[in-house]
Amino acid sequence: MTEVNTPPRVGGWTRFVTARPRLSLLVALVLTALAVLAGSGVADRLGAGGWEDPAAESTYATKALEREFPGSQPNLLLLVDAGEASVDDPAVAAEAERLAERLAGERGVTGVGSYWQSGTQALRAEDGHEALIAARITGDEKTAGETLERLAPHYRGTHGPLRVDVGGPVAVRHEMQTVIQEDLVRAELIALPVTLVLLVMVFGSAVAALLPLGIGIVAILGTNAVLRGLTEFTDVSVFAINLTTALGLGLAIDYALFIVRRFREELSTGAEPLTAIGTTLRTAGRTVLFSALTVAVSLAAMLVFPQYFLRSFAYAGIAVVLLAAAAALILLPAALILLGHRVNALDLRRLFRRGHRPDPTRQEGRAWARTATLVMRRAPFFALGTTAVLVLLGLPFLGVKFGTADDRQLPSTSESHVVQQHIREGFPGSPGGGLEVLAEGRATEAQYGAYKERVAALPDVARVDGPLVMGDSAYFTVLPKGEAVDEPAQRLVGDLRETRAPFDTKVTGTAAVLVDSKHAIGERLPLAAVFITIVTLFLVFLLTGSVLIPIQAVVLNALSLTAMFGAVVWVFQDGHLSGLLAFTSPGSIETTLPVLMFCVAFGLSMDYGVFLLSRIKEEYDRTGDHDQAVRHGLARTGGLITAAAVILAVVMVAIGTSRVTNTKMLGLGIALAVLMDAMVVRSLLVPAVMRLTGRATWWAPGPLRRFHDRFGLSEAEPERTAAETEPVRDKAGAPAG
């Protein structure tokens, strides 16, 4: 009879995920195939807007004007170029009027107007060679996009003596969706092979390297299905597909890296595969689950904001984080139990070395242990020096200017960008960039005239047009003296809202939307910050049982983001490196982007923080030696965290190759934050600070200690006794040794 070496205790979760591994993988394969079908065409259902507050005054006024005065809100602009001739030339005018009449008869188009019909000088270029035909395509974003696709080929190009280019907000949105879809495919083609090469470098074994990549691909395909499902219930931004794909791939690989590395460690000690899986899930598995919760909490903070641009990232981000964790905790253990020791097969590093050499993982661990020793020996220097450098890198953010996303998000050669640039540079009064004042309530001509005079007298007003009256409603167009969204224009929004009128007034326009968006974010930002802080403090306390470590984690994570925010302003607002990175700087940062980047980058920083703290806590519970625990934790996870950060940064840089500026900023900014966190904060600042706080790091008052003993999470092996896992404490609750 063969003796079976059975582990003394196998947890219920281990039994569940390893009972029928082949069946688990087969079910996963079927679900992945279904996800491919369910997620097909998801990008066509995503929106390119979502920056406005749906409850704001500007949103109400915009919808009312669209309904009552469709000509006041044109979203389609045809730029008519007469070449060397004047737009007033009879042949040019006749052809332009024919185009306008034809456009007015198209299905789904309303409010058609042109320079030749109205004679409005704002629709005529100052050089006299270009003029505009304006119209409104009705329907939601998807319907308007379909209408544009149907109409644009028939109007774009040469018409007799004219050349026509298609622009306007609806064209910008549609072109942005198309570019993002194309860029996403390219990003995946860049990220996947580079990631595989990096994983082979980390593991050596081709088999071990393919496991995280496989989990990442499952997460990507699942992400598309999740996004497709979400579009049935709520608006989802097209930008979300980039970030959730990056998170799905990056986090799945992070989690798989952590689990595969721990499994291989356990095998190297002589453990059987089932025992190794049990230990891995009790330790690394719990850490992965805990990490997923911390990332999900950071993303959930965006639910407090009203803009669907931010809320869509919360919905989709939470779903993909949980999907990545589920794939790592269910599919990966099943694959590992089937592979067993063959997880180390196909060691490609043998091709590049001769003879016997020490295990590179152990060499790497010793190097990180030496780094930790050096940092802790000079802790004040590293703590103060690193903090000073991070603060210095973040200083440019003090000069941030907030704006709105417009055509300059697109490449300078894109048609809708070219049209808007011509309008900005060549047309008087920034057509399309003015403010509209909706007047509701019956009024006399004299009352309208008196109100118009008061508005014209405001200091930042260049011209007031109108009113156009229909029943009990009317609207005025107010052109600011400067740019459409600069400080004077935003100040003018407030002045208009305070101007006395004998009827109800509502102000909209680009500057008004920006003002309302800034107000909505500023009003809810403290709530989001408090939510992230409190929940993060609680979760890290559950992991560590310490009062000080959660505070350190929140402060140091926030500090790790300074370089990202400084770089965002220095590069994307101020325009440095714009030639190298191929983008057009609008001179401002879109209002919602810093909130999105903070929530994502903070969650990823907590992801790596949990990996490090869990290993430190495991060693501290085992030995009670604080300094040794910090050295051991960094030695065991330093290389892993760095590798995970580099891989995630590769994915984000691939996303950052997008031709859309906001996506480029998102990808490159988060890549920088991830690398700074892993290579500077986790490697230098955390061990230095933990050395300075010493054994007090683990202190907690009696009631909180008892709460943690009962409800807290632990990386320690369950087979160990309390005496082995609980360090000796003095009466105050601090470790005694």
Side-chain angles (χ1 to χ4, degrees):
M1 181 176 179
T2 304
E3 182 179 353
V4 180
N5 183 16
T6 304
R9 183 177 176 183
V10 177
W13 183 252
T14 304
R15 287 195 300 270
F16 173 75
V17 298
T18 60
R20 293 180 175 83
R22 289 183 176 82
L23 179 60
S24 297
L25 294 178
L26 179 61
V27 170
L29 182 63
V30 172
L31 291 177
T32 302
L34 293 175
V36 172
L37 297 176
S40 61
V42 60
D44 295 331
R45 299 179 61 86
L46 303 179
W51 293 286
E52 68 279 354
D53 176 4
E57 175 182 315
S58 57
T59 305
Y60 171 84
T62 297
K63 291 181 178 179
L65 288 171
E66 288 175 0
R67 183 176 61 253
E68 302 294 338
F69 304 96
S72 69
Q73 298 281 301
N75 57 10
L76 175 66
L77 298 175
L78 301 184
L79 178 65
V80 178
D81 186 350
E84 296 298 322
S86 167
V87 294
D88 296 313
D89 182 274
V92 170
E95 183 64 24
E97 289 177 358
R98 188 187 68 79
L99 281 175
E101 291 175 4
R102 177 181 161 196
L103 182 62
E106 298 281 4
R107 176 169 48 88
V109 177
T110 187
V112 177
S114 71
Y115 161 70
W116 296 274
Q117 293 169 316
S118 66
T120 303
Q121 291 301 304
L123 299 179
R124 180 182 186 273
E126 293 175 338
D127 65 5
H129 297 300
E130 294 177 329
L132 294 173
I133 299 173
R136 179 159 193 87
I137 297 180
T138 58
D140 57 19
E141 286 185 18
K142 185 175 185 297
T143 303
E146 292 172 349
T147 302
L148 179 71
E149 283 186 338
R150 173 169 53 84
L151 297 179
H154 301 292
Y155 290 87
R156 178 187 296 120
T158 302
H159 298 268
L162 310 178
R163 171 170 177 79
V164 177
D165 291 299
V166 179
V170 69
V172 171
R173 286 197 300 268
H174 185 265
E175 196 163 2
M176 196 174 293
Q177 287 177 309
T178 302
V179 170
I180 286 175
Q181 291 179 48
E182 296 171 352
D183 290 348
L184 182 61
V185 173
R186 187 180 68 251
E188 291 174 349
L189 293 176
I190 294 171
L192 290 175
V194 175
T195 296
L196 179 59
V197 171
L198 292 173
L199 287 169
V200 170
M201 293 173 62
V202 171
F203 286 123
S205 162
V207 173
L210 286 170
L211 290 173
L213 191 62
I215 296 298
I217 291 173
V218 169
I220 287 178
L221 298 175
T223 297
N224 290 337
V226 168
L227 287 175
R228 176 63 177 81
L230 287 169
T231 60
E232 296 292 336
F233 307 101
T234 185
D235 292 320
V236 179
S237 170
V238 69
F239 290 95
I241 196 171
N242 289 283
L243 184 63
T244 50
T245 297
L247 285 179
L249 180 60
L251 288 177
I253 289 176
D254 280 2
Y255 298 156
L257 266 174
F258 202 60
I259 288 175
V260 173
R261 171 68 73 89
R262 188 58 183 259
F263 178 72
R264 296 178 80 195
E265 282 183 19
E266 296 301 322
L267 288 181
S268 68
T269 66
E272 291 300 316
L274 184 58
T275 306
I277 281 290
T279 302
T280 298
L281 290 179
R282 283 194 300 270
T283 55
R286 290 183 182 183
T287 301
V288 165
L289 180 59
F290 200 83
S291 171
L293 290 176
T294 58
V295 177
V297 164
S298 295
L299 295 173
M302 288 185 284
L303 291 174
V304 307
F305 298 99
Q307 294 93 336
Y308 89 71
F309 175 80
L310 290 175
R311 296 176 69 89
S312 65
F313 282 102
Y315 297 134
I318 292 170
V320 74
V321 167
L322 298 180
L323 182 63
L329 294 175
I330 298 174
L331 303 184
L332 189 56
L336 291 174
I337 203 68
L338 289 175
L339 287 171
H341 290 278
R342 288 173 295 180
V343 73
N344 296 316
L346 299 179
D347 186 354
L348 301 181
R349 288 186 297 210
R350 292 177 181 174
L351 302 175
F352 304 98
R353 63 175 183 248
R354 297 177 182 176
H356 174 73
R357 289 189 180 181
D359 183 356
T361 301
R362 293 185 179 181
Q363 287 184 317
E364 174 190 276
R366 286 195 290 269
W368 282 104
R370 288 195 297 270
T371 299
T373 300
L374 173 64
V375 170
M376 294 169 71
R377 188 178 298 146
R378 295 175 174 81
F381 169 78
F382 280 100
L384 294 175
T386 304
T387 300
V389 170
L390 291 173
V391 170
L392 183 64
L393 291 175
L395 288 180
F397 192 71
L398 296 177
V400 65
K401 299 175 183 177
F402 294 109
T404 57
D406 58 21
D407 60 282
R408 285 169 288 192
Q409 295 288 317
L410 291 165
S412 58
T413 55
S414 69
E415 182 183 22
S416 56
H417 184 155
V418 170
V419 169
Q420 295 302 127
Q421 194 65 24
H422 273 251
I423 293 172
R424 270 190 296 270
E425 295 176 352
F427 284 72
S430 183
L435 296 168
E436 285 84 29
V437 180
L438 173 67
E440 295 181 308
R442 187 171 297 277
T444 65
E445 184 176 342
Q447 288 174 319
Y448 284 135
Y451 176 76
K452 182 176 181 178
E453 290 179 1
R454 285 194 292 271
V455 170
L458 295 174
D460 296 309
V461 172
R463 190 176 79 246
V464 183
D465 294 330
L468 181 62
V469 182
M470 183 175 292
D472 291 343
S473 299
Y475 84 91
F476 299 82
T477 300
V478 181
L479 295 179
K481 288 182 177 178
E483 293 291 329
V485 293
D486 61 8
E487 287 297 327
Q490 295 179 53
R491 191 166 54 244
L492 178 58
V493 172
D495 292 341
L496 287 172
R497 288 173 174 172
E498 293 175 359
T499 300
R500 180 172 49 86
F503 35 74
D504 292 331
T505 61
K506 300 287 189 298
V507 181
T508 188
T510 306
V513 171
L514 175 59
V515 168
D516 290 339
S517 180
K518 288 167 64 175
H519 174 74
I521 289 175
E523 187 177 55
R524 293 165 176 81
L525 194 59
L527 177 60
V530 169
F531 172 77
I532 289 179
T533 301
I534 291 177
V535 179
T536 300
L537 290 173
F538 178 70
L539 289 175
V540 178
F541 171 76
L542 286 181
L543 177 68
T544 63
S546 163
V547 171
L548 187 58
I549 288 179
I551 298 173
Q552 288 179 357
V554 170
V555 173
L556 298 186
N557 283 357
L559 191 60
S560 72
L561 308 184
T562 54
M564 175 185 71
F565 284 122
V568 160
V569 170
W570 190 78
V571 174
F572 291 95
Q573 175 182 294
D574 299 341
H576 298 102
L577 307 181
S578 59
L580 177 65
L581 298 178
F583 70 91
T584 301
S585 172
S588 61
I589 302 297
E590 202 283 316
T591 315
T592 58
L593 257 293
V595 176
L596 170 62
M597 296 177 75
F598 173 83
C599 291
V600 173
F602 187 89
L604 294 174
S605 296
M606 282 303 306
D607 183 45
Y608 299 133
V610 166
F611 287 170
L612 176 58
L613 290 174
S614 63
R615 207 60 187 263
I616 293 175
K617 177 67 164 56
E618 179 181 353
E619 182 67 10
Y620 183 70
D621 283 347
R622 190 178 69 85
T623 66
D625 186 330
H626 173 72
D627 289 353
Q628 171 59 25
V630 175
R631 278 191 295 270
H632 178 86
L634 191 59
R636 288 294 189 179
T637 63
L640 181 63
I641 289 174
T642 302
V646 170
I647 290 171
L648 182 56
V650 165
V651 177
M652 297 309 303
V653 168
I655 296 295
T657 62
S658 173
R659 292 165 290 170
V660 176
T661 304
N662 271 359
T663 305
K664 188 186 298 289
M665 180 170 67
L666 189 66
L668 298 181
I670 292 177
L672 176 62
V674 164
L675 292 176
M676 291 296 293
D677 182 76
M679 297 182 176
V680 177
V681 174
R682 303 298 151 206
S683 303
L684 303 177
L685 194 54
V686 169
V689 171
M690 292 190 79
R691 177 65 180 86
L692 291 175
T693 54
R695 290 179 305 212
T697 301
W698 305 99
W699 177 84
L704 288 180
R705 273 205 323 278
R706 290 188 290 273
F707 180 86
H708 178 265
D709 290 341
R710 183 173 181 182
F711 300 106
L713 301 178
S714 175
E715 286 283 311
E717 293 291 339
E719 289 82 10
R720 297 188 183 113
T721 64
E724 291 175 315
T725 59
E726 181 66 23
V728 179
R729 300 178 183 269
D730 58 24
K731 292 182 179 180

